[in-house]
Amino acid sequence: MRLLHTSDWHLGRAFHRVNMLDAQAAFIAHLVTTVRERGVDAVVVSGDVYDRAVPPLAAVELFDDALHRLADLGVPTVMISGNHDSARRLGVGAGLIGRAGIHLRTEPAACGTPVVLGDAHGDVAFYGLPYLEPALVKDEFGVDKAGHEAVLAAALDRVRADLATRAPGTRSVVLAHAFVTGGEPSDSERDITVGGVAAVPAGVFDGVDYVALGHLHGSQTITERVRYSGSPLPYSFSEAGHRKSMWLVDLGADGSVVAERVDCPVPRPLARLRGHLEDLLADPELARHEEAWVEATLTDPVRPAEPMARLTERFPHTLSLVFDPERAPEDAGVSYARRLAGRSDQQIAEDFVAHVRGAGPDERERAVLREAFDAVRADQAVREGAR
């Protein structure tokens, strides 16, 4: 069976101030063409269809168009909700839409109920695991402590229990939206840290023939059977080095996996430039970036006059301007943004306690901070789901 694995469409999202709807529509057209021309038997979409719980009307219309075009091809599609989606909103009409071959899986309780498709070698069971917010689903899965690994492991127990009831030789595909150990994040994913731990080990998925992951925006192979497709379009300059693609996966009669990357259309390349303003404006080696979307980091010791206006004369698609002035090693005036870069909310809060008190929090106080962040995240998820 030939699968096309994609995720993280983020319909409705902009890239800085650039509306990406046309680029997203071009991707949908490319996906449909790939399905038709490459003999795809099933499409899997591993979450974050939309960029927010209540997407703009234009994004909903594009999603509706995508569903109609996939249904017209007669190729089944299995799709889950991600942490950016409202599971309840995305799942509206799932039963009716399923009659057209578009199978939406947004209910955690249905993790062990697969979509079963067949080929010449027998059945393939597709298990859709929507994004599982630990604080909200721990009771459903009967776990004592809210954590990503615990709830995913419990969901996979249901998958294996169902699979054990099926005919010998039934192959399995799991769709999941999670941060799996070994994955490389970028700046454009929403933090899903819970209790200080976001990542789950790939071993949670042992026994599954193919795991189609969503959440991280870079296409990557965790193991031969566990892969991220990544987002089809860039949503931050940290993705400048990404090759945007989908996975075309051939699932053999014995459950073997052969995967090929299928490139996605690039609306415009990304470039991250760094240096003194005058050097960026004069360097002939940078001519290749003149039509790119540009993030420029200026290192001038003194902020130059009208830097954005001058940059856009040469790089008209400059979208982001960052100042990181060169300083002597002993200069303590490091920018606030630089001091926070790469640090989690928990770490920033602990640093604040240390700054105002002179000593960092003890383990009991760290636990209080973790519980506070978890409670805020869970409350936000409930509020978005109720909109």
Side-chain angles (χ1 to χ4, degrees), residues 222-382:
I222 304 300
T223 72
E224 286 303 306
R225 296 184 181 277
V226 181
R227 298 171 187 264
Y228 283 100
S229 68
S231 61
L233 294 166
Y235 293 111
S236 73
F237 276 101
S238 65
E239 300 169 57
H242 288 187
R243 173 187 164 193
K244 295 301 183 181
S245 58
M246 303 176 285
W247 285 111
L248 191 67
V249 177
D250 287 323
L251 190 62
D254 58 353
S256 59
V257 170
V258 177
E260 171 192 348
R261 288 178 74 177
V262 178
D263 291 330
C264 294
V266 178
R268 193 178 294 279
L270 306 186
R272 304 183 95 174
L273 309 182
R274 181 182 179 88
H276 288 204
L277 177 60
E278 295 301 333
D279 293 338
L280 298 183
L281 296 177
D283 188 348
E285 290 296 317
L286 301 182
R288 66 186 187 278
H289 299 308
E290 289 175 358
E291 293 304 314
W293 280 322
V294 169
E295 177 186 72
T297 299
L298 301 184
T299 60
D300 303 68
V302 178
R303 184 172 299 203
E306 300 183 329
M308 180 61 90
R310 296 171 66 190
L311 277 167
T312 54
E313 288 181 4
R314 183 179 187 189
F315 307 103
H317 305 289
T318 301
L319 300 180
S320 175
L321 184 58
V322 180
F323 295 97
D324 187 17
E326 294 172 343
R327 300 179 187 274
E330 66 275 6
D331 192 335
V334 179
S335 73
Y336 183 67
R338 284 189 62 190
R339 281 185 274 127
L340 298 188
R343 301 186 71 74
S344 68
D345 291 342
Q346 176 86 15
Q347 291 170 321
I348 292 169
E350 292 181 10
D351 288 348
F352 176 76
V353 172
H355 174 72
V356 298
R357 194 171 65 183
D362 59 27
E363 189 53 44
R364 183 186 62 82
E365 292 167 330
R366 290 191 183 96
V368 170
L369 287 171
R370 281 196 295 270
E371 290 171 5
F373 283 121
D374 291 353
V376 170
R377 188 174 295 105
D379 180 66
Q380 182 183 29
V382 170

Side-chain angles (χ1 to χ4, degrees), residues 67-135:
L67 295 188
H68 277 85
R69 296 172 74 175
L70 288 168
D72 287 345
L73 290 174
V75 175
T77 298
V78 184
M79 185 177 295
I80 62 172
S81 50
N83 62 299
H84 279 251
D85 300 308
S86 166
R88 291 176 64 189
R89 288 178 179 272
L90 188 64
V92 169
L96 185 61
I97 295 171
R99 298 181 189 178
I102 309 293
H103 305 280
L104 298 173
R105 291 294 183 264
T106 63
E107 292 291 336
C111 284
T113 304
V115 176
V116 180
L117 305 176
D119 64 7
H121 306 292
D123 288 344
V124 180
F126 291 77
Y127 297 90
L129 280 55
Y131 171 65
L132 303 174
E133 175 60 47

